[in-house]
DNA sequence: CGCTTAGTTGAAGCGAATCAAAACTAGTGG
DNA sequence: CCACTAGTTTTGATTCGCTTCAACTAAGCG
C-alpha cells in the first residue's frame, strides 16, 4: 500500500483540489483538517464536509471519464495527505476485498453524517445548529486524541463555522457568546476550548 | 440473488422502517417511490432522501450490534421492495466483488446527492430551492421513463416537498404559483406536470 | 353530493441577515 | 517591548424573507 502512495503537504488555506478540476486520485488524511467547499459566484459558500486524520478523499470511482470535482478541498490547518493514483487504487481494491469493504463501510458513515447535517441545515434554529456543531467537534476530537479531554482548538474560524452550519458569521458569534455567558462552553482566547457541558449542549442541539 | 430475496408491498404512507428500529435487512426498490424521514417530537420533519426504482436501502453494514435506524423509510406511492436478509447479503457481497464495487459506486453517488442538498438547504433562497427540486425530479423521471418526456406526476405533495427542501408548505405553494404564472412550469391539476422550461429552471436554481 | 384532505392566498410577526462600527488578536518591524 | 497594521471577532441597529396564523378554494372519494 505504501508502495504506490505519494505524500503531499499543504499550508492552511491552500487548496488540494479546486471545484470543477478534472479529478483524480484517492487520498488519505494523515494529519491536519481539510474542508470540502462549494461556492457560488456571488460569494455564498457552503462547507459540505470536514476531513480529519484517517478520513478518505474519493476520486471518481470507476468512471471512465471523470467528471469535474463537485467541490474544492482546502486545508484548514497544516495538512498532510497520502495520495494514491486512481488506477492503482482501483487495482488495490480489486486485490484486497477487505479494503473495499472497509471503504464501503466508511462511505456509508459519511452518508449518514451528511444526512444528519441535512436535518441541521433544513430544520434547526441558530442555537441548535451551533450546539450541534460543538457536539460534533468535541466528539471528533475525542475520537482522535482519545478520551474525555475537553481541551482542544476549534478546527474552524467563525466564518467557516458559519459556512458549515448555514448561518452568517455574526449569528454564529452571537450564539457562541450566549453559550459562553450561560456557562455551557468555556474558552481561552477565541479558538481554544477548555470546557464543555455535553449534557446541556445535547439539550440545546434539538433532535 | 433471487434465491435469498423476499418481496414486500406497501401502500402509500405506510412505513417500511421506523426511526430507531433495530435494523435490518438490505433492500431494493423495484417499483414506486419512498422517502427517508427524520422527525422531531415538536412536529418538525426533514426528508433526507428519496428512493426511486433500482435504488438501494442499506442495513447496518458489518456492525455486530446494529444501531437504531437513523430515519424512517415510508412509501410515498405504492411501493414494491425486494428484501435481502442482512447476513445473506453480506455473504453475497463477499462472493461477488463486482456487486460490492457497484454498491460502493452507488453509495458515492448518494453521498454526492446528499452534499448537493446540503448546499440547497444551507444557502439557497426559496425560489432557488423549488427550482432545484423541479430539476431534480424531472431528471429522475427522465432517467426512469427514459427520454425527454416532460409529462409526469410529482412524486410528493406540497407538505413533503416542503420537508424535503426545508421550507413551509405555504412558501412552497407560493413559489410554485410564481413558476406557473411565469410560464416556467405547466400543470394539469396539482400534481401532474405537463411542461418544464429546463433552461429557465436552471437559471432560477442558483448554483 | 356532502365530506375530508390538499392546496392556495392574504396579513402579521419574527428570527436571522445585513449594514455598520468597535474591540480584540496576531504578526511585523522599529 | 511597544507601536502599527491587517485580519478576526464581537456587538449594536435595522431590514427583510420566510414563517405563522387564518381563511378560503379546489380536488379526491365514499
Amino acid at each position: 500500500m505504501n508502495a504506490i502512495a505519494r505524500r503531499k503537504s499543504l499550508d492552511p488555506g491552500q487548496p488540494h483540489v479546486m471545484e470543477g478540476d478534472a479529478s483524480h486520485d484517492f487520498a488519505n488524511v494523515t494529519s491536519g483538517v481539510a474542508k470540502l467547499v462549494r461556492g457560488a459566484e456571488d460569494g455564498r459558500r457552503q462547507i459540505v464536509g470536514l476531513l480529519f486524520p484517517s478520513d478518505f478523499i474519493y476520486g471518481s470511482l470507476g468512471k471512465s471519464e471523470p467528471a469535474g470535482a463537485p467541490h474544492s478541498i482546502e486545508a484548514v490547518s497544516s495538512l498532510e495527505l497520502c495520495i494514491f493514483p486512481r488506477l492503482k487504487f482501483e487495482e488495490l481494491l480489486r486485490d484486497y476485498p477487505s479494503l473495499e469493504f472497509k471503504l464501503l463501510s466508511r462511505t456509508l458513515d459519511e452518508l449518514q453524517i451528511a444526512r444528519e447535517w441535512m436535518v441541521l441545515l433544513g430544520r434547526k434554529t441558530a442555537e441548535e445548529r451551533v450546539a450541534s456543531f460543538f457536539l460534533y467537534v468535541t466528539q471528533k476530537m475525542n475520537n482522535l486524541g482519545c478520551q474525555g479531554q475537553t481541551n482542544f482548538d476549534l478546527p474552524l474560524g467563525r466564518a467557516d463555522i458559519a459556512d458549515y452550519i448555514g448561518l452568517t458569521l455574526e449569528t454564529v458569534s452571537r450564539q457562541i457568546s450566549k453559550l459562553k455567558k450561560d456557562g455551557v462552553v468555556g474558552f481561552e482566547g477565541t479558538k481554544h476550548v477548555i470546557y464543555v457541558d455535553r449534557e446541556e449542549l445535547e439539550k440545546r442541539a434539538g433532535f
Side-chain angles (χ1 to χ4, degrees), chain A:
Chain A
M1 185 121 176
N2 275 324
I4 62 167
R6 203 179 83 234
R7 300 198 150 274
K8 182 174 177 180
S9 292
L10 290 154
D11 289 326
Q14 275 195 308
H16 166 54
V17 176
M18 298 279 273
E19 222 174 303
D21 275 6
S23 130
H24 13 295
D25 301 330
F26 286 72
N28 204 270
V29 176
T30 52
S31 133
V33 179
K35 56 184 174 184
L36 308 181
V37 186
R38 180 82 182 282
E41 318 68 41
D42 62 12
R44 284 181 290 176
R45 291 161 70 81
Q46 177 67 43
I47 293 179
V48 297
L50 293 181
L51 298 174
F52 291 90
S54 92
D55 282 338
F56 260 104
I57 294 172
Y58 307 95
S60 29
L61 191 78
K63 304 262 171 29
S64 48
E65 35 153 316
H71 41 65
S72 70
I73 303 176
E74 302 169 26
V76 173
S77 55
S78 297
L79 189 69
E80 300 281 336
L81 298 180
C82 215
I83 299 182
F84 310 96
R86 189 165 78 90
L87 295 174
K88 293 275 189 188
F89 189 77
E90 291 191 10
E91 263 178 49
L92 215 61
L93 286 183
R94 269 193 293 281
D95 296 344
Y96 299 93
S98 70
L99 175 64
E100 183 167 331
F101 186 81
K102 175 109 185 155
L103 195 59
L104 175 57
S105 176
R106 290 272 202 109
T107 311
L108 285 171
D109 290 345
E110 284 297 319
L111 183 58
Q112 196 37 55
I113 292 171
R115 286 175 168 166
E116 191 69 36
W117 227 250
M118 283 175 63
V119 174
L120 180 150
L121 293 170
R123 291 303 184 203
K124 291 194 179 182
T125 64
E127 180 176 43
E128 289 173 332
R129 293 181 198 214
V130 171
S132 301
F133 171 77
F134 272 98
L135 282 174
Y136 175 70
V137 171
T138 53
Q139 192 189 322
K140 270 290 177 186
M141 288 309 177
N142 288 344
N143 284 356
L144 293 174
C146 278
Q147 240 60 325
Q149 56 169 81
T150 50
N151 197 290
F152 56 86
D153 273 10
L154 283 184
L156 302 177
R158 302 295 185 263
D160 278 340
I161 296 175
D163 286 336
Y164 194 31
I165 64 182
L167 297 171
T168 59
L169 67 91
E170 293 96 328
T171 300
V172 169
S173 178
R174 275 183 251 272
Q175 293 298 335
I176 291 180
S177 294
K178 188 151 143 250
L179 289 179
K180 281 195 288 196
K181 186 168 65 67
D182 295 355
V184 184
V185 297
F187 275 85
E188 209 169 82
T190 61
K191 316 204 76 170
H192 195 76
V193 178
I194 53 173
Y195 171 74
V196 171
D197 182 344
R198 166 168 260 281
E199 215 166 286
E200 181 60 23
L201 274 182
E202 267 162 10
K203 261 187 227 147
R204 298 189 184 209
F207 64 120

